[in-house]
């Protein structure tokens, strides 16, 4: 075990010394899967993510070598990371670390791709190394705080991504351990992600926040490369990351198995484009649907804990979302849509679908039943108890939502998800081209230039 004062240095040394040969075949494949998923949901958001438009307009005003995913034009690496990162979480369809909370690849992938465009000499194998290390660190940061980040008023997913993505960007462009450590510190100076992000239901920031993370991480890495110096102990310092955001010294989970176990291998891929907390309820509704006539439903009880509270309170508001982002964070809406349509897809969150009066009527019947024994460990758990007009009562509990490594989406399911996302892109791809691109990402040569990863068959998209 490292002493507290060696934590930042140890992590930076680990990043600097990691090579592609040191990664297991399983970690390499898991990282490619995460890359495929992240790129796919970003493509889908180009056609559906209206809240990201201001970030793209801002980036288009500054020409540079880094491409804007899904659109013509390019920008500086930092501003391309901003614009592309604003798309990455817009659909709430990207991967998640259920034990966290973390969405470890949402800022990481757009940041690394922006740098890859600007540095044609960098090989894809180096991108895989940086991504594997960065995703792992985001997951570790998310479970290492001695108290929940939320208790201090902070929103953890972008906070942990900020530090991890900066370290990964620094590693990708070839900085040594000192440079990586300073990149983490320079990123820390740019971070402030209050929980108001999730409390203000009308704010679009919840969907585009990762753009701010990606931009800051790229800037931090480039500043460190230019010689900027931050802190010796950005993580463990007396007023460093964990002291400010986590309430004290980090737990052992930060360093245990570092370099041996890559927690990014354990992310969950989302089968449905909504907040991960809605997934067990969606799954339960889909399983029960063949036995439920929506017109005969009297009441639906959703078993919840404190993590799911924001997804069902206030119930009357959650039953009548007005925008896609509100519907994606609503147990009543997603359950009602699943029962009526037999699926929850990207098309479930169009303005017309959200406004459907039959769906709203059913959503108002979804009420909360709090389980006092549930906490963080049940973040991806839920149950439904459906009472019908004839007195029948149906019940189903899902303790681990589909998509988790214990219940994984296989490669073919991930490719199908990619194809669907690409079909919703601003410049829609046909299924054959999307499938070809997905296969290319899963098998791209490690020695090839990273910037060519998404070249033909979709040159017009990236």
């Amino acid at each position: 075990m490292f002493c507290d004062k060696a934590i930042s240095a140890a992590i930076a040394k680990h990043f600097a010394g990691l090579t592609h040969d040191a990664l297991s075949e399983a970690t390499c494949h898991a990282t490619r899967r995460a890359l495929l998923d992240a790129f796919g949901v970003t493509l889908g958001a180009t056609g559906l993510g209206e809240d990201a438009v201001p970030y793209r307009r801002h980036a288009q005003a500054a020409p540079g070598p880094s491409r804007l995913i899904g659109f013509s034009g390019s920008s500086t690496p930092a501003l391309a990371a901003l614009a592309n990162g604003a798309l990455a979480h817009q659909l709430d369809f990207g991967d998640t670390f259920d034990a966290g909370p973390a969405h470890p690849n949402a800022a990481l992938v757009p940041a690394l791709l922006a740098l890859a465009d600007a540095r044609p000499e960098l090989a894809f194998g180096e991108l895989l190394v940086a991504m594997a290390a960065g995703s792992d660190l985001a997951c570790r940061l998310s479970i290492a705080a001695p108290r929940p980040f939320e208790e201090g008023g902070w929103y953890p997913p972008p906070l942990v991504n900020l530090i991890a993505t900066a370290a990964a960007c620094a590693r990708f462009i070839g900085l040594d351990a000192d440079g990586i450590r300073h990149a983490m510190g320079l990123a820390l100076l740019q971070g402030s992600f209050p929980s108001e992000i999730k409390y203000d239901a009308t704010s679009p920031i919840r969907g585009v926040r990762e753009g701010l993370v990606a931009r800051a991480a790229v800037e931090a890495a480039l500043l460190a490369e230019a010689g900027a110096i931050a802190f010796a102990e950005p993580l463990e310092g007396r007023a460093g990351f964990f002291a400010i955001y986590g309430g004290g010294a980090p737990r052992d989970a930060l360093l245990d198995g570092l370099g041996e176990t890559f927690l990014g291998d354990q992310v969950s891929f989302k089968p449905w484009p909504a907040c991960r907390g809605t997934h067990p309820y969606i799954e339960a509704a889909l399983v029960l649907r063949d036995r439920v006539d929506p017109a005969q439903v009297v009441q639906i009880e959703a078993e919840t804990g404190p993590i799911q509270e924001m997804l069902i309170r206030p119930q009357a508001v959650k039953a009548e979302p007005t925008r896609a982002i509100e519907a994606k964070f609503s147990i009543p809406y997603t359950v009602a849509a699943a029962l009526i349509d037999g699926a929850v897809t990207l098309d479930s969150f169009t303005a017309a679908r959200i406004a459907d009066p039959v769906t709203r009527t059913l959503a108002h019947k979804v009420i909360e039943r709090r389980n006092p024994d549930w906490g963080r460990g049940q973040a991806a758990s839920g149950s439904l108890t459906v009472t019908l007009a004839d007195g029948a009562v149906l019940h189903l509990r899902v303790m681990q939502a589909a998509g988790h490594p214990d219940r994984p989406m296989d490669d073919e399911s991930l490719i199908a998800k990619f194809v669907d996302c690409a079909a919703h892109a601003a410049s829609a791809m046909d299924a054959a081209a999307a499938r070809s691109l997905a296969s290319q990402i899963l098998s791209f040569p490690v020695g090839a230039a990273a910037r060519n990863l998404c070249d033909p068959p979709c040159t017009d998209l990236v």
Side-chain angles (χ1 to χ4, degrees):
M1 177 57 65
F2 298 95
C3 69
D4 283 351
K5 292 186 179 300
I7 288 174
S8 296
I11 289 173
K13 182 179 179 181
H14 158 65
F15 268 73
L18 189 63
T19 64
H20 184 267
D21 290 343
L23 299 179
S24 69
E25 184 177 343
T27 293
C28 287
H29 188 61
T31 304
R32 287 176 181 269
R33 280 164 52 87
L35 177 58
L36 173 68
D37 193 67
F39 189 71
V41 299
T42 301
L43 274 182
T46 63
L48 299 171
E50 60 185 28
D51 292 332
V53 171
Y55 300 84
R56 184 175 76 250
R57 287 175 179 161
H58 180 56
Q60 287 172 327
S66 299
R67 292 168 287 183
L68 303 178
I69 293 174
F71 299 96
S72 61
S74 58
S75 188
T76 67
L79 289 180
L82 172 71
N84 297 337
L87 293 164
H89 193 65
Q90 177 81 112
L91 302 182
D92 216 305
F93 208 6
D95 61 24
T96 181
F97 182 56
D98 287 344
H103 299 286
N105 296 298
L108 183 58
V109 169
L112 292 176
L113 291 180
L115 287 170
D117 269 354
R119 307 286 177 100
E121 73 277 8
L122 294 176
F124 177 62
E126 293 302 301
L127 187 147
L128 280 181
V129 170
M131 187 175 166
S135 182
D136 174 56
L137 180 57
C139 295
R140 290 174 179 276
L141 290 168
S142 75
I143 59 174
R147 74 173 188 201
F149 292 99
E150 295 92 335
E151 287 187 11
W154 302 108
Y155 192 48
L159 276 177
V160 300
N161 284 354
L162 177 66
I163 303 300
T165 302
C169 287
R171 167 62 181 82
F172 184 43
I173 62 175
L175 301 195
D176 62 13
D178 278 345
I180 294 168
R181 182 164 49 89
H182 287 305
M184 289 192 287
L186 290 162
L188 180 62
L189 285 163
Q190 301 178 71
S192 177
F193 294 95
S195 284
E196 195 63 20
I197 289 172
K198 68 177 182 180
Y199 294 142
D200 184 349
T202 66
S203 173
I205 292 296
R206 184 163 47 191
V208 299
R209 65 183 191 240
E210 299 299 336
L212 301 171
V213 177
R215 178 202 58 76
V218 169
E219 291 279 21
L222 295 177
L223 283 168
E225 183 182 43
I229 294 174
F231 313 115
E233 300 171 354
L235 298 180
E236 70 276 24
R238 64 179 182 178
F241 178 84
F242 281 101
I244 297 298
Y245 299 118
R251 298 166 56 228
D252 290 347
L254 182 61
L255 294 177
D256 282 353
L258 184 68
E260 299 170 2
T261 300
F262 288 83
L263 297 185
D265 296 4
Q266 301 174 26
V267 298
S268 299
F269 295 103
K270 290 185 175 184
W272 304 290
C275 174
R276 180 64 171 164
T278 67
H279 283 202
Y281 307 96
I282 293 172
E283 184 174 350
L286 293 175
V287 172
L288 293 173
R289 182 175 183 265
D290 288 344
R291 300 157 61 192
V292 174
D293 177 355
Q296 299 302 310
V297 171
V298 174
Q299 178 178 278
I300 302 174
E301 285 187 343
E303 182 181 18
T304 66
I307 302 300
Q308 295 88 351
E309 179 179 300
M310 65 173 285
L311 302 175
I312 201 165
R313 298 182 184 178
Q315 198 280 340
V317 174
K318 291 296 183 179
E320 296 194 13
T322 59
R323 302 173 67 244
I325 190 68
E326 297 169 25
K328 289 169 179 284
F329 279 76
S330 168
I331 291 171
Y333 174 78
T334 52
V335 166
L339 286 172
I340 291 171
D341 297 341
V344 174
T345 69
L346 291 169
D347 294 326
S348 300
F349 300 97
T350 63
R353 182 66 193 82
I354 292 169
D356 175 59
V358 175
T359 305
R360 289 189 169 187
T361 296
L362 184 57
H364 276 289
K365 297 178 181 180
V366 181
I367 65 170
E368 175 184 15
R369 178 171 62 80
R370 191 66 168 262
N371 185 330
D373 296 327
W374 278 13
R376 175 74 239 172
Q378 290 73 41
S381 304
S383 77
L384 295 180
T385 302
V386 183
T387 302
L388 302 177
D390 63 3
V393 177
L394 308 176
H395 176 78
L396 184 66
R397 174 183 272 185
V398 176
M399 289 307 295
Q400 181 60 68
H404 185 270
D406 291 341
R407 304 181 60 208
M409 293 179 70
D410 60 19
D411 285 1
E412 182 54 39
S413 297
L414 279 179
I415 291 172
K417 176 180 172 180
F418 183 90
V419 170
D420 182 45
C421 287
H424 285 83
S427 297
M429 294 181 68
D430 65 52
R435 182 169 288 275
S436 178
L437 174 56
S439 297
Q440 178 171 295
I441 292 172
L442 291 178
S443 60
F444 197 70
V446 296
R451 77 176 313 274
N452 295 330
L453 172 68
C454 298
D455 280 347
C458 70
T459 312
D460 59 327
L461 278 179
V462 185

